[in-house]
């Protein structure tokens, strides 16, 4: 049968309804390509979780179809899940931009995961298989080597933008708008486009504006030590921070493992040329403050990152000084505002002067297109159908509305959820059901064995604590040897609430004796009865809902 009679399928395994864990799949018959494999960093309600992964369970039964993993650029929300994916799925080849490839190799080495074959992406690369022909175009983003792609299939052309913006005076190369327009002229059936800033009007600032703002702050504080926190992955930002330090006769000390890794890769790739500008923390402490810039991680208020350690006074190498100037060259990722504010308050309390991104000083600009840039992309590509991707639902919906303004019919736009499937056939696109998708949690070295029930228990323990009921029972004679022992963590202080503890003990005794008097006694029934009744009783007495844990010690006295 002619392959053109078969459908081409598109599905997001992550990245829809959220900012992070981007992972998309394009398949036709026995061929399948994965686009990106990122992580999402947990918000405060996911207690104890290190990362959230896209759900790639469906790929386990389709491994023989996988022709490769294509990476658009080297940010964590696009490459952070690869080491976990490779532990479960066989990927024959990774097509990746140069810098992203170096970051991926570093991650795989750290986790002792074998690295598959890698092919470097550039605008000359053409991936050709039986059913697919994939070409790439340069985009502007906050990390070098960022690409979008045009995927030619038997049922039409799909364009996937990756993360992008339009910056006419960038630090790196300008986006290849000519190639984008040429792809649009050839005809695009379906566009998948970055929606992160779809709610924000106007054009994003150029990275060169940030360069000017940082220069002004350095000039305004010639005698102070400068501590600058930014995303370690924003290599363009790092390069002009280094240049600004050089122009102001300052040496640079690095703090944070990811910052050191990014600087090493940027230097290796030729983006940073002056290696002599870097000094150790010991050397920084010996120099006059006016000659030093501390470049560190922690711009999102991460509790273990370098800036948090410095602000809390926990860093072994650096002590905050009252005249220090701290620059947050970033904007808050959704969910991180409170953490960042806590760090800023601590810095102010210790006398530091803090600069954040304001109308006075543009010390950060987004790497994602705002509304006018999104419209420009839509006009360049001119797709027949449009699926916004990479964003919360409100962002996806706003982006779809921009598509309507750019002459894409409402019925030709798709605001989808992870797991929803689109089908292309003979130049038309339509919904094709869905597959069940669940977030996968990484807790330490364990992947996927912490589910929503455990997260729920952790929330309860964090708010209402734990109440442990310890019983010592003579099973042969069906009697309690001693009265129940009640201990708590995070619920109440036992010594200060003796009346409450006595009531819980008495209630537990009654429950236990009633169960022991039954003709058929079961330890399971006793535990369940204690959990059920003590839970209700504690709620009645205190209004709190601690986790009830019965512990029963069995004695068989003769």
């Amino acid at each position: 049968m002619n392959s053109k009679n078969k459908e081409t399928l598109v599905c997001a395994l992550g990245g829809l309804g959220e900012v992070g864990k981007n992972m998309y799949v394009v398949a036709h018959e026995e061929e399948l390509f994965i686009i990106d494999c990122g992580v999402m960093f947990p918000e405060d309600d996911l207690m104890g979780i290190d990362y959230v992964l896209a759900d790639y369970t469906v790929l386990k039964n389709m491994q023989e179809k996988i022709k490769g993993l294509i990476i658009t650029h080297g940010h964590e929300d696009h490459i952070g899940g690869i080491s976990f994916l490779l532990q479960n799925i066989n990927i024959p080849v990774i097509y990746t931009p140069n810098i992203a490839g170096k970051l991926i190799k570093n991650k795989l080495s750290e986790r002792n995961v074998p690295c598959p074959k890698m092919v470097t992406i550039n605008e000359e690369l053409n991936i050709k298989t039986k059913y697919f022909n994939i070409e790439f175009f340069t985009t502007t983003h906050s990390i070098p080597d960022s690409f979008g792609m045009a995927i030619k299939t038997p049922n039409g052309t799909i364009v996937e933008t990756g993360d992008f913006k339009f910056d006419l005076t960038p630090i790196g190369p300008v986006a290849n708008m000519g190639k984008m327009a040429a792809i649009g002229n050839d005809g695009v059936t379906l566009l998948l486009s970055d929606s992160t800033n779809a709610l924000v009007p106007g054009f994003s600032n150029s990275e060169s504006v940030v360069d000017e703002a940082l220069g002004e702050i350095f000039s305004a504080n010639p005698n102070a030590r400068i501590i600058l926190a930014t995303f370690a992955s924003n290599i363009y930002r790092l390069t002009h921070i280094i240049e600004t330090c050089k122009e102001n006769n300052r040496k640079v000390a690095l703090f944070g493992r990811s910052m050191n890794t990014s600087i090493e890769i940027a230097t290796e790739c030729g983006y940073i040329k002056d290696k002599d500008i870097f000094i150790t923390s010991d050397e920084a402490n010996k120099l006059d403050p006016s000659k030093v810039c501390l470049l560190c991680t922690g711009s999102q208020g991460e509790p273990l990152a370098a800036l948090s350690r410095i602000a809390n006074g926990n860093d072994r190498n650096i002590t905050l000084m009252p005249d220090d100037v701290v620059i947050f060259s970033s904007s808050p990722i959704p969910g991180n505002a409170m953490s960042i504010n806590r760090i800023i308050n601590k810095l102010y309390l210790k006398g530091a002067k803090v600069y954040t991104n304001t109308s006075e000083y543009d010390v950060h600009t987004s790497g994602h297109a705002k509304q006018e840039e999104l419209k420009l992309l839509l006009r360049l590509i001119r797709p027949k159908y449009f699926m916004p991707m990479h964003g919360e639902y409100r962002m996806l919906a706003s982006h779809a509305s921009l598509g309507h303004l750019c002459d894409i019919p409402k019925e030709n736009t798709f605001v989808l959820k992870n797991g929803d499937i689109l089908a292309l056939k003979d130049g038309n696109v339509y919904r094709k059901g869905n597959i069940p998708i669940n977030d996968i949690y990484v807790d330490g070295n364990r992947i996927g064995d912490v589910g929503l029930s455990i997260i729920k228990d952790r929330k309860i323990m964090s708010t209402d604590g734990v109440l442990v009921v310890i019983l010592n029972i003579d099973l042969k004679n069906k009697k309690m040897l001693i009265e129940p022992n009640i201990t708590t963590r995070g619920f109440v202080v036992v010594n200060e609430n003796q009346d409450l503890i006595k009531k819980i003990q008495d209630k537990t005794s009654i429950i236990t004796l009633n169960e022991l008097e039954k003709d058929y006694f079961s330890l399971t029934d006793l535990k369940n009865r204690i959990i059920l009744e003590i839970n209700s009783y504690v709620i009645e007495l205190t209004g709190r809902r601690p986790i009830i844990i019965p512990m029963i010690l069995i004695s068989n006295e003769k």
Side-chain angles (χ1 to χ4, degrees):
M1 185 179 290
N2 191 319
S3 67
K4 197 165 183 179
N5 294 325
K6 298 288 188 177
E7 297 168 321
T8 303
L9 303 179
V10 177
C11 180
L13 302 181
L16 300 185
E18 59 202 3
V19 176
K21 65 181 175 71
N22 291 278
M23 192 174 190
Y24 308 90
V25 171
V26 179
H28 188 94
E29 292 211 44
E30 70 274 12
E31 294 187 344
L32 180 153
F33 280 96
I34 304 165
I35 302 171
D36 288 332
C37 181
V39 297
M40 185 166 64
F41 294 101
E43 296 188 9
D44 291 343
D45 60 338
L46 293 178
M47 297 171 179
I49 299 302
D50 299 310
Y51 307 106
V52 185
L53 305 179
D55 188 351
Y56 45 73
T57 309
V58 66
L59 297 176
K60 290 184 178 180
N61 299 322
M62 306 171 70
Q63 295 195 58
E64 72 285 350
K65 295 185 178 184
I66 298 173
K67 296 301 175 184
L69 166 63
I70 303 173
I71 300 301
T72 59
H73 65 282
H75 281 158
E76 284 294 293
D77 57 335
H78 294 259
I79 68 169
I82 293 176
S83 59
F84 303 106
L85 177 72
L86 292 177
Q87 293 175 54
N88 294 275
I89 307 291
N90 179 43
I91 303 295
V93 57
I94 299 177
Y95 299 94
T96 172
N98 184 34
I99 282 186
K102 293 182 183 298
L103 291 167
I104 291 166
K105 286 179 181 177
N106 185 67
K107 287 178 177 297
L108 297 181
S109 175
E110 286 179 353
R111 293 187 174 271
N112 295 314
V113 177
C115 184
K117 176 184 176 183
M118 283 190 174
V119 174
T120 300
I121 289 175
N122 52 46
E123 286 202 333
E124 286 69 51
L125 179 67
N126 232 321
I127 304 172
K128 292 184 179 180
T129 65
K130 183 177 180 180
Y131 299 121
F132 294 101
N133 188 341
I134 305 173
E135 61 178 325
F136 299 89
F137 52 88
T138 299
T139 59
T140 300
H141 191 40
S142 53
I143 186 171
D145 294 339
S146 297
F147 292 90
M149 70 195 76
I151 307 167
K152 294 179 181 178
T153 80
N155 290 297
T157 297
I158 302 166
V159 169
E160 209 267 25
T161 65
D163 291 357
F164 76 97
K165 65 184 286 187
F166 288 112
D167 186 344
L168 302 182
T169 55
I171 301 298
V174 179
N176 194 339
M177 289 183 274
K179 191 167 186 178
M180 294 180 199
I183 292 168
N185 287 336
D186 290 340
V188 173
T189 308
L190 175 65
L191 170 66
L192 281 63
S193 182
D194 173 19
S195 305
T196 309
N197 269 343
L199 292 164
V200 187
F203 284 90
S204 57
N205 284 335
S206 169
E207 189 69 28
S208 59
V209 173
V210 178
D211 198 11
E212 293 173 11
L214 290 175
E216 290 176 14
I217 294 173
F218 273 67
S219 298
N221 298 276
N223 299 317
R225 184 175 64 175
I226 291 178
I227 302 173
L228 204 156
T230 191
F231 297 110
S233 59
N234 193 339
I235 288 176
Y236 284 138
R237 183 75 46 79
L238 301 183
T239 59
H240 69 64
I241 288 170
I242 301 303
E243 286 302 310
T244 301
C245 289
K246 187 175 181 179
E247 291 168 6
N248 287 272
N249 196 28
R250 288 179 183 263
K251 296 290 187 178
V252 180
L254 305 176
F255 291 85
R257 188 176 65 170
S258 60
M259 185 65 73
N260 277 279
T261 299
S262 291
I263 292 292
E264 285 176 11
I265 290 173
T267 304
E268 183 182 342
C269 293
Y271 291 97
I272 295 173
K273 296 179 172 58
D274 185 4
K275 297 180 182 179
D276 295 333
I277 197 169
F278 298 106
I279 58 174
T280 66
S281 57
D282 287 341
E283 291 171 325
N285 286 328
K286 294 173 184 176
L287 283 176
D288 188 275
S290 65
K291 303 298 182 184
V292 175
C293 175
L294 310 182
L295 183 54
C296 64
T297 57
S299 65
Q300 297 301 302
E302 306 96 313
L304 299 180
L307 184 60
S308 294
R309 296 197 306 270
I310 293 170
N312 291 321
N314 297 329
D315 193 279
R316 292 177 299 174
N317 302 304
I318 293 296
T319 301
L320 198 70
M321 297 187 290
D323 295 327
D324 281 343
V325 168
V326 182
I327 305 170
F328 283 77
S329 186
S330 63
S331 60
I333 293 172
N336 290 347
M338 288 182 62
S339 299
I340 295 170
N341 288 336
R342 278 196 292 267
I343 296 300
I344 291 174
N345 283 329
K346 289 177 181 178
L347 293 169
Y348 272 116
L349 281 169
K350 293 187 177 181
K353 185 177 182 180
V354 181
Y355 290 88
T356 58
N357 194 40
T358 63
S359 57
E360 183 180 2
Y361 289 103
D362 290 314
V363 293
H364 176 70
T365 183
S366 175
H368 300 272
K370 295 183 180 179
Q371 288 182 353
E372 296 307 311
E373 296 156 270
L374 295 174
K375 291 177 190 176
L376 174 56
L377 188 281
L378 285 160
R379 291 300 189 188
L380 289 170
I381 300 298
R382 302 191 306 282
K384 184 178 179 182
Y385 296 90
F386 175 39
M387 175 189 138
M389 66 169 190
H390 192 184
E392 298 171 1
Y393 289 119
R394 59 199 176 113
M395 301 168 186
L396 303 179
S398 176
H399 202 177
S401 297
L402 297 178
H404 307 156
L405 293 175
C406 293
D407 301 325
I408 300 174
K410 188 173 183 179
E411 61 271 18
N412 285 15
T413 59
F414 302 94
V415 177
L416 303 181
K417 301 188 295 294
N418 292 331
D420 288 345
I421 300 170
L422 286 184
L424 286 74
K425 189 172 182 182
D426 300 330
N428 295 310
V429 181
Y430 47 89
R431 291 175 183 260
K432 181 77 175 181
N434 59 73
I435 54 176
I437 292 287
N438 297 297
D439 286 344
I440 306 299
Y441 300 125
V442 178
D443 186 350
N445 294 322
R446 308 290 294 179
I447 305 171
D449 60 354
V450 174
L452 292 176
S453 60
I454 293 178
I455 298 295
K456 182 180 178 182
D457 285 347
R458 289 178 178 179
K459 290 179 184 176
I460 293 172
M461 285 190 281
S462 72
T463 55
D464 292 324
V466 179
L467 189 150
V468 182
V469 178
I470 303 172
L471 292 168
N472 197 326
I473 295 176
D474 175 0
L475 200 57
K476 182 178 180 180
N477 298 306
K478 286 191 172 184
K479 66 178 184 179
M480 291 190 301
L481 296 176
I482 57 174
E483 69 176 3
N485 182 17
I486 308 297
T487 185
T488 76
R489 289 293 183 272
F491 172 53
V492 295
V493 178
V494 173
N495 292 338
E496 296 175 5
N497 292 273
Q498 287 298 320
D499 289 344
L500 174 62
I501 297 302
K502 185 65 169 68
K503 289 178 181 178
I504 296 172
Q505 285 176 328
D506 292 344
K507 182 70 172 178
T508 304
S509 297
I510 293 170
I511 295 167
T512 305
L513 292 172
N514 287 339
E515 288 295 314
L516 287 170
E517 288 175 359
K518 291 182 178 178
D519 293 335
Y520 176 75
F521 171 76
S522 163
L523 287 174
T524 301
D525 288 347
L526 175 58
K527 286 182 178 180
N528 290 339
R529 181 61 59 188
I530 288 172
I531 292 170
L532 184 65
E533 294 196 22
I534 294 300
N535 184 55
S536 299
Y537 190 58
V538 169
I539 292 172
E540 179 186 332
L541 292 174
T542 67
R544 300 181 189 173
R545 299 172 180 268
I547 291 179
I548 311 297
I549 302 177
M551 295 180 62
I552 302 176
L553 308 176
I554 300 300
S555 175
N556 289 291
E557 289 190 343
K558 295 181 179 179

